[in-house]
Amino acid sequence: MYMSSVPEYIKIVEEVFDKFKGREFLYIGKDVRRWDAVEKIKGKSLYTADFLKFYKNAVFVHSVRTKYAHALIKSIDVSEASKYPGVLKVITAKDIPGINDVGYVIPDQPLIADRKVRYIGDIVALIVAEDQMIAREAESLIHVEYEPLEVITDPLQVVDLMTLKEKPHTLIHDERGSDVLVHYKVRRGDMEKALREADVKVEGVYKTPFQEHAYLEPEAAIAIPEAEGGVTVISSTQCPFDVRKAVAKVLGVPLNRVRIVVPAVGGGFGGKEDVANEVAAKAALAAVLTGRPAVSIHTREESIIGHSKRHPMIAWYRHAAKKDGTLLAVEANIVMDTGSYASLGPFVPWRATVHATGPYKVGAARIDTKAVYTNNVYAGAFRGFGNPQVIFAVERQMDLLAEELGMDPVELRLKNILRVGDETVHGQKLTEEHGVGLEEALLKAVEASNWSSKRMEYRKAVGPLRKGIGVAIFYHGNSIGVEGADYSSVTLIINRDGSISFRTGLTEFGQGSTWGLVLIAAEILGVPPSYFKVENPDTSATPDAGPTVASRATVMGGAATVIAAHKLRKRLNEVASHILGCDPEDIVIKAPEVYCGSDPNRRTVWQDVVEQSFWLGIPLQEFGYYRAPRAVWDEETGQGAPYITYTFGAIVAEVTVDMETGLTKVDRIYTAYDIGRVINKVGAELNAEGGAIQALGYGLMEELIHDKDGRVMNPNLSTYYVPTIKDAPEIIPIWVEAHYRKGPLGAKGFGEPSFNAVATAIANAVSHAIGLPVYELPLTPERIYMMLKKAGKI
Amino acid sequence: MLEVRRSDVEYPDVEIVMKINGELKKVKVKPYERLIDVLRNKLGLTSVKEGCGRGECGACVVIMDNRPVPSCLVLAVRANGKSILTLEGLAPEGKIHAIQKALIDVHALQCGFCFPGVIMMSKHLLDNNPDPSEEEIREALDGNLCRCGSYLRFVKAVKLASKYLREGKTYFDESEVLR
């Protein structure tokens, strides 16, 4: 049968891992400057909207959005607006040549609403005009007749938390016949027996908010019409191949007529996974219908009301344990609000479900997760992807359990965490090959923070300023698991002058993912990173590398890089061996030097090896493709092996809470992560800091609020608060390297894990400081003040 | 139905003169046009970034007559006769400024979108306070949002830049940094 044996690429990744074991590295794990540092620091890097200066005859696309969050569209009249001077075209649903849909996972999201609108960001028409001012002026001339429907902003209007049954309500997706998007389950062990044997049980209902990505660069796309009905789109996206698919679908043309180029991207964090499809499709439509370059740029307000958010969660949890702290059972009903459209909603709750018991040995588990539609802004991917939400519930529960048992929270966790040889709640056995560094991470974070004495000392405090210390631990499945085909690719081209072109369809949106891949290639080839030029992702220049999501760039793209670099290195060794007369295995490349290891006097230079390869007819370009081992998941029981491996982490946070105002200041965060081999040291440190600061916002201040009509109450950066430089606490990064043998040189993913447990560690610290349990994020001053007031503490 | 656009009738073009990065520039602008759009689209100075258009994020900060301003909140006509410095004019060709060098030294760079504003704001701070404390740095950069979270490195970088400047090292060769 096809592919019945282990593919060559899997073997290469393991072979290279074994080969480099214990070796001293030149670039991996070292301080190396980014390739784009100087360009960016000089302000010369071009982001999507910057290209506008090159297109003097570009037209602007303005989105006319709905007045109501839930309504039927009775009629739409654009005739007056179409005649407004300077307006080239008004596009409505009927003008779309292809399929009117930009749904990311399922086709439930029209690009331009036709029959009904489902949230306040829905678009009813696009005005294409000579400039933005004209387009805005013309907006008042568009007449839409709506029949408003009941607006649902509370997911518990759709399902009941305790029974998870759908309630009678005005259907948002009436075409589906139900507003429950997905239901995922985990069933393990004998729940009744576990509950019978339990000495203690703790339960609680936990709530987490909508979170806005607030990447500094709002969404943008510029489309240039091309021959044969095609289009080139410059797009601020994480996933150029998904954008290509969406644009081709809307235009009704084959994929090869659409070219997507991704220049510098000003942040993504998951948010530029699917809205980029919509924005690119809008620009592409306008370009094709007017024959001129077309630009679609969202204002900040449009960005906030018109792109995906982190899913809010409401969850009921019950934990049962023995007197000695042994965890016996976890039960949970989890409701996630996916908002008006599915977006990544079919996948986010799956990741939440997989991680719903935390990184613990659990004998019995029953988890039910439902994601439901509401008329809120749609929810999708955001750094962590469902995991931060359940971590909040699980790690709060663990603290409650510790308190109930009179145990130290760290002691309780150490008693139950996953180690090598243990089975996850899905029955996946963790081996040495996966790399399991959770215990080491927890112990190191505890030691560095001086946990024990602070935990005792802080509780004794009196007066208005109270200190607290909290811990939270987590695991995070790497890459996309059973969500889809999990592959990646890169192309390495050694040019005639010895310089190297690096191409991949993975994108770099700030956190340095591509840089790690260059370090891997540099290490294996034996050339300095300065020889490389990282090209912009371009769907016409590189094969599909899969999306840049799910902390997969380093682990998946890195594996593809290992393969391409390894194959090239083999050929270079043979050419050098031909020149120098020693064995290919004996060749040392430290470009520009190339010599025989056994006799360093027999030497030549890199350029000569490249030139000789050319004359010998040895190709110096290589395509690396890697596909992850298949993940396994039983839909009915949640048993299997959902992810290839896991990143682990332990966070300790220290806070000071003002008992009179409820204001929390985070003093210090210790972040201990097991990410396998640290490939890109600088990138890892930046991620640890940046993820922690973003999560501090999630823990203390960030919450997108809808009113009862589904309008967003805080659609800009003066009302939706994100951390500023004044909020940034001291952050102490700690690394644990439990290598993953099937990863590139032992690496695991880190993009999302840096966010995952920080807000919860802060919440646990706040709880410690104020002496009250917390059940809801964010812990704004108001929320803490009200809790203190209710408890009679002030 | 309107015969002509409101914006054309009510708002004829105005010619303004600005000294931009040391050079005199004459530009025709609409009375409602923002300085940021003139800088970016008419003069090609795309280091000036638009993050919010409401003066809330700090990405578009330029220095106008020695004062940092969010160029999204300044009408272009108000810049008439003014002297404006953008990131493009911070250092001579082939050189980078001490602040830029320091930001690279401490590896502050992530997506880079907030950097032009952060750099201009830091320059303004150091022009007026050659040896700022950590608290003063945080106060000065409080209006510059960085969602990637490089804040701690901004503090380090401004301290380092202040040291460079006090040692008389204002500019560094680009090639020196690239090594």
Side-chain angles (χ1 to χ4, degrees):
Chain A
M1 202 184 97
Y2 184 60
M3 294 276 280
S4 61
S5 61
V6 178
E8 182 203 21
Y9 53 78
I10 301 245
K11 287 183 204 150
I12 291 176
V13 171
E14 292 181 356
E15 189 187 318
V16 171
F17 174 77
D18 292 339
K19 200 172 127 192
F20 276 88
K21 217 171 185 175
R23 253 213 246 171
E24 187 59 35
F25 289 106
L26 282 172
Y27 311 112
I28 302 283
K30 305 281 190 247
D31 265 14
V32 186
R33 292 205 200 306
R34 290 167 64 116
W35 81 96
D36 56 354
V38 172
E39 284 291 288
K40 278 189 170 170
I41 213 80
K42 288 171 71 183
K44 288 198 172 170
S45 277
L46 293 171
Y47 298 72
T48 299
D50 300 343
F51 284 84
L52 188 54
K53 66 180 174 185
F54 302 126
Y55 297 103
K56 289 300 175 198
N57 63 338
V59 294
F60 288 80
V61 185
H62 175 71
S63 306
V64 179
R65 295 178 195 265
T66 170
K67 260 193 228 164
Y68 300 96
H70 196 195
L72 294 172
I73 299 173
K74 304 310 282 181
S75 69
I76 175 159
D77 178 5
V78 300
S79 55
E80 217 183 319
S82 305
K83 286 181 220 141
Y84 191 68
V87 169
L88 287 112
K89 183 148 186 70
V90 178
I91 303 170
T92 58
K94 64 174 175 21
D95 300 311
I96 292 175
I99 295 167
N100 180 18
D101 183 74
V102 287
Y104 193 82
V105 178
I106 61 170
D108 70 342
Q109 184 174 4
L111 174 65
I112 303 175
D114 44 7
R115 189 177 60 84
K116 75 183 287 193
V117 289
R118 298 182 179 87
Y119 85 116
I120 206 68
D122 256 332
I123 295 165
V124 292
L126 299 172
I127 300 176
V128 186
E130 294 286 351
D131 71 35
Q132 276 164 308
M133 186 74 168
I134 298 168
R136 282 189 204 136
E137 285 172 356
E139 179 167 358
S140 60
L141 304 174
I142 288 185
H143 307 289
V144 188
E145 198 190 327
Y146 297 98
E147 181 188 319
L149 300 170
E150 180 197 15
V151 174
I152 294 169
T153 58
D154 179 2
L156 296 188
Q157 272 179 267
V158 180
V159 288
D160 179 81
L161 179 61
M162 296 318 289
T163 64
L164 291 178
K165 287 215 171 82
E166 189 163 4
K167 297 175 177 174
H169 66 282
T170 308
L171 281 177
I172 296 159
H173 284 273
D174 48 322
E175 78 286 1
R176 299 179 76 252
S178 163
D179 282 331
V180 174
L181 175 64
V182 286
H183 179 192
Y184 294 116
K185 303 172 217 173
V186 175
R187 301 283 183 268
R188 182 175 173 83
D190 186 338
M191 181 59 70
E192 276 179 34
K193 183 166 167 272
L195 291 177
R196 238 184 0 254
E197 287 171 3
D199 297 311
V200 290
K201 289 173 203 157
V202 293
E203 64 180 285
V205 173
Y206 299 89
K207 289 183 184 173
T208 64
F210 270 109
Q211 189 187 18
E212 156 65 29
H213 302 84
Y215 29 69
L216 258 270
E217 179 205 21
E219 302 80 14
I222 298 179
I224 299 108
E226 302 278 3
E228 300 174 84
V231 67
T232 292
V233 188
I234 304 167
S235 165
S236 180
T237 179
Q238 296 177 214
C239 312
F241 288 89
D242 292 333
V243 174
R244 183 175 70 161
K245 197 167 112 194
V247 169
K249 186 172 163 189
V250 167
L251 295 182
V253 299
L255 292 176
N256 62 10
R257 301 293 199 283
V258 178
R259 177 184 177 199
I260 308 297
V261 184
V262 188
V265 176
F269 317 116
K272 284 181 184 159
E273 198 170 332
D274 59 351
V275 71
N277 298 359
E278 172 201 314
V279 179
K282 290 192 288 197
L285 257 184
V288 167
L289 294 176
T290 65
R292 284 171 60 179
V295 53
S296 173
I297 300 175
H298 281 180
T299 62
R300 176 58 61 185
E301 184 165 337
E302 276 186 293
S303 174
I304 293 182
I305 65 166
H307 90 261
S308 65
K309 302 286 170 280
R310 184 184 301 286
H311 283 74
M313 172 201 77
I314 303 170
W316 170 84
Y317 263 79
R318 179 156 68 183
H319 278 59
K322 282 203 255 184
K323 246 186 290 192
D324 67 355
T326 306
L327 201 54
L328 292 175
V330 181
E331 285 179 282
N333 290 346
I334 301 170
V335 174
M336 298 185 100
D337 178 359
T338 205
S340 49
Y341 294 105
S343 175
L344 272 294
F347 296 157
V348 173
W350 181 72
R351 184 177 280 275
T353 307
V354 171
H355 294 86
T357 58
Y360 300 106
K361 286 172 281 181
V362 180
R366 182 204 53 82
I367 310 293
D368 285 276
T369 306
K370 281 194 175 175
V372 302
Y373 287 111
T374 63
N375 293 117
N376 294 325
V377 176
Y378 64 95
F382 194 157
R383 204 181 207 172
F385 209 77
N387 199 4
Q389 292 93 318
V390 292
I391 288 170
F392 175 62
V394 170
E395 291 298 277
R396 279 300 308 138
Q397 281 283 103
M398 291 304 280
D399 267 23
L400 287 187
L401 192 58
E403 184 143 334
E404 189 72 25
L405 291 162
M407 277 174 90
D408 179 89
V410 170
E411 191 192 340
L412 175 67
R413 285 169 172 85
L414 281 172
K415 184 147 191 99
N416 293 291
I417 55 170
L418 292 168
R419 297 173 173 87
V420 169
D422 289 336
E423 272 188 15
T424 66
V425 71
H426 336 93
Q428 182 175 12
K429 188 160 181 177
L430 297 177
T431 66
E432 207 65 69
E433 273 200 5
H434 289 103
V436 187
L438 179 57
E439 181 174 19
E440 194 184 339
L442 179 53
L443 290 174
K444 282 190 166 164
V446 162
E447 192 195 336
S449 61
N450 201 4
W451 165 271
S452 302
S453 67
K454 283 177 184 165
R455 184 83 187 174
M456 303 245 280
E457 180 199 325
Y458 290 170
R459 256 286 160 86
K460 294 179 207 147
V462 287
L465 293 178
R466 303 276 174 88
K467 283 184 183 297
I469 185 167
V471 66
I473 66 172
F474 72 94
Y475 66 160
H476 194 85
N478 279 207
S479 202
I480 60 179
V482 298
E483 291 168 24
D486 205 353
Y487 60 91
S488 198
S489 71
V490 305
T491 304
L492 286 172
I493 302 164
I494 302 177
N495 301 302
R496 191 90 182 265
D497 63 357
S499 69
I500 303 172
S501 300
F502 185 92
R503 286 186 189 162
T504 177
L506 295 168
T507 56
E508 206 301 291
F509 40 93
Q511 280 60 55
S513 54
T514 315
W515 195 219
L517 309 191
V518 169
L519 297 183
I520 291 171
E523 193 75 51
I524 294 174
L525 290 174
V527 297
S530 61
Y531 280 38
F532 289 78
K533 160 89 167 77
V534 178
E535 296 189 1
N536 284 337
D538 179 340
T539 57
S540 292
T542 179
D544 191 351
T548 313
V549 302
S551 316
R552 67 192 291 279
T554 301
V555 71
M556 297 298 298
T561 306
V562 164
I563 288 146
H566 176 78
K567 287 183 174 173
L568 271 180
R569 176 63 196 256
K570 246 182 145 167
R571 298 210 285 272
L572 288 163
N573 279 6
E574 275 157 22
V575 173
S577 151
H578 174 82
I579 300 170
L580 299 173
C582 53
D583 194 71
E585 290 299 305
D586 191 27
I587 298 294
V588 177
I589 303 181
K590 271 188 187 163
E593 307 296 325
V594 178
Y595 54 90
C596 302
S598 57
D599 180 5
N601 287 324
R602 282 154 73 185
R603 60 199 306 125
T604 179
V605 290
W606 169 256
Q607 188 118 21
D608 188 41
V609 179
V610 172
E611 187 65 18
Q612 288 292 329
S613 304
F614 176 78
W615 289 109
L616 288 168
I618 309 289
L620 288 188
Q621 53 276 341
E622 188 60 59
F623 175 64
Y625 173 92
Y626 182 81
R627 194 193 149 112
R630 273 166 218 279
V632 185
W633 178 258
D634 182 294
E635 284 289 339
E636 286 310 309
T637 63
Q639 297 298 293
Y643 291 103
I644 47 177
T645 191
Y646 299 86
T647 294
F648 297 92
I651 312 294
V652 172
E654 290 184 53
V655 302
T656 305
V657 182
D658 185 328
M659 300 291 277
E660 287 168 353
T661 63
L663 183 71
T664 301
K665 183 178 161 287
V666 178
D667 301 315
R668 221 162 282 105
I669 306 175
Y670 302 86
T671 65
Y673 294 113
D674 161 25
I675 60 170
R677 171 101 59 204
V678 178
I679 301 278
N680 176 2
K681 178 170 167 274
V682 173
E685 287 169 357
L686 281 165
N687 237 302
E689 290 172 23
I693 292 168
Q694 216 169 53
L696 180 153
Y698 187 51
L700 296 181
M701 62 187 84
E702 295 186 34
E703 180 171 26
L704 193 84
I705 298 166
H706 296 80
D707 71 5
K708 62 174 179 27
D709 297 321
R711 290 192 176 82
V712 177
M713 302 295 284
N714 48 351
N716 50 57
L717 296 170
S718 60
T719 48
Y720 182 90
Y721 308 129
V722 300
T724 77
I725 195 166
K726 282 187 180 169
D727 300 303
E730 186 185 351
I731 295 166
I732 299 103
I734 298 160
W735 305 107
V736 171
E737 299 189 53
H739 298 157
Y740 168 48
R741 185 161 174 258
K742 289 181 170 18
L745 300 167
K748 299 193 279 197
F750 189 46
E752 299 167 283
S754 62
F755 181 94
N756 274 349
V758 175
T760 301
I762 291 170
N764 281 345
V766 167
S767 175
H768 181 231
I770 65 176
L772 293 171
V774 300
Y775 295 98
E776 193 169 356
L777 294 181
L779 292 163
T780 57
E782 297 91 312
R783 198 160 273 146
I784 293 178
Y785 181 86
M786 293 314 289
M787 283 166 54
L788 290 169
K789 190 120 187 152
K790 210 170 147 193
K793 294 213 172 198
I794 44 173
Chain B
M1 180 61 212
L2 288 156
E3 289 302 311
V4 284
R5 290 161 51 197
R6 291 204 296 269
S7 50
D8 278 343
V9 179
E10 293 167 26
Y11 312 114
D13 282 351
V14 183
E15 188 172 85
I16 61 167
V17 182
M18 299 177 285
K19 195 177 189 184
I20 297 192
N21 297 330
E23 263 181 69
L24 279 181
K25 297 271 181 194
K26 256 189 221 173
V27 211
K28 272 189 189 157
V29 304
K30 289 278 177 201
Y32 56 78
E33 215 169 335
R34 305 175 305 167
L35 179 59
I36 187 175
D37 294 323
V38 174
L39 293 174
R40 284 177 54 80
N41 299 333
K42 292 196 170 152
L43 299 169
L45 299 170
T46 46
S47 81
V48 183
K49 299 290 185 231
E50 178 159 0
C52 69
R54 299 166 49 106
E56 293 165 2
C57 76
C60 70
V61 166
V62 298
I63 296 182
M64 185 161 88
D65 282 358
N66 298 318
R67 272 182 52 212
V69 293
S71 58
C72 70
L73 290 189
V74 176
L75 286 176
V77 289
R78 293 299 298 269
N80 191 18
K82 308 263 190 204
S83 170
I84 289 165
L85 183 71
T86 71
L87 180 55
E88 284 88 348
L90 189 62
E93 196 56 39
K95 307 255 182 198
I96 60 168
H97 189 272
I99 298 162
Q100 293 169 303
K101 168 81 161 67
L103 283 164
I104 291 182
D105 286 347
V106 305
H107 297 295
L109 199 90
Q110 295 196 56
C111 87
F113 200 80
C114 70
F115 269 59
V118 169
I119 294 169
M120 300 320 284
M121 208 65 206
S122 303
K123 172 175 166 36
H124 176 74
L125 170 68
L126 293 172
D127 282 350
N128 295 284
N129 181 355
D131 191 10
S133 67
E134 174 163 345
E135 217 180 310
E136 287 167 331
I137 296 169
R138 287 185 185 241
E139 189 63 46
L141 293 179
D142 192 36
N144 293 84
L145 300 181
C146 167
R147 192 54 160 167
C148 300
S150 284
Y151 292 137
L152 298 172
R153 300 186 185 234
F154 294 165
V155 175
K156 276 189 213 156
V158 175
K159 288 230 152 203
L160 182 58
S162 133
K163 182 171 155 276
Y164 286 150
L165 290 169
R166 280 179 284 120
E167 289 167 358
K169 297 182 217 158
T170 309
Y171 302 113
F172 292 79
D173 277 342
E174 237 172 65
S175 52
E176 195 182 328
V177 180
L178 279 170
R179 265 182 301 166

